[in-house]
Amino acid sequence: MNLKTLFVISSLASIFVSCANDDPSTLIDSTPMNGLATYNQNVKSIIDNNCVVCHASVPKNGAPMSLVTYDQVKNAVLNRGLLTRISLENGNSSLMPQGGPRLPQTTIDIINKWNQDGLLEK
């Protein structure tokens, strides 16, 4: 193998390796959920990772309510339009999380499934 061929192969290999992103925090499980969705099993981590920065026990950045407990999140779905707010398109000033980007559809689908399954805690 000549030097030029070796250089091309090693360059391509480094490009493919450097493009891999196996950081678990950026991975989204798109497999369908089996069984009933529950707050503790499926929704709490979504709220904690995307909403509690503003909707903390003491709300920040103009957030009108806390979303740190099961009852608070359930109330937000039933009475505060949480599902509508997270389902709006990017660019809508009412989209949550505030300022976007919109949550991935698979994430929104989990919260919708939780609602359809009866907003179970456990």
Side-chain angles (χ1 to χ4, degrees), residues 9 18 20 26 33 52 58 60 68 80 82-83 91 101-102 112 114 118:
I9 291 172
S18 65
T26 63
M33 208 180 337
V52 171
V58 175
K60 303 174 189 170
V68 296
R80 306 287 304 230
L82 183 140
L83 288 170
R102 184 177 191 258
N112 275 320
W114 176 57

Side-chain angles (χ1 to χ4, degrees), residues 58-79:
V58 175
K60 303 174 189 170
N61 302 321
M65 75 283 200
S66 296
L67 293 175
V68 296
T69 69
Y70 161 76
D71 288 325
Q72 291 167 338
V73 177
K74 179 180 175 181
N75 182 56
V77 169
L78 293 173
N79 303 308

Side-chain angles (χ1 to χ4, degrees), residues 88-109:
L88 295 169
E89 294 301 319
N90 281 318
N92 188 308
S93 62
S94 297
L95 172 67
M96 289 291 132
Q98 187 175 34
R102 184 177 191 258
L103 295 173
Q105 187 61 49
T106 55
T107 301
I108 295 168
D109 290 345

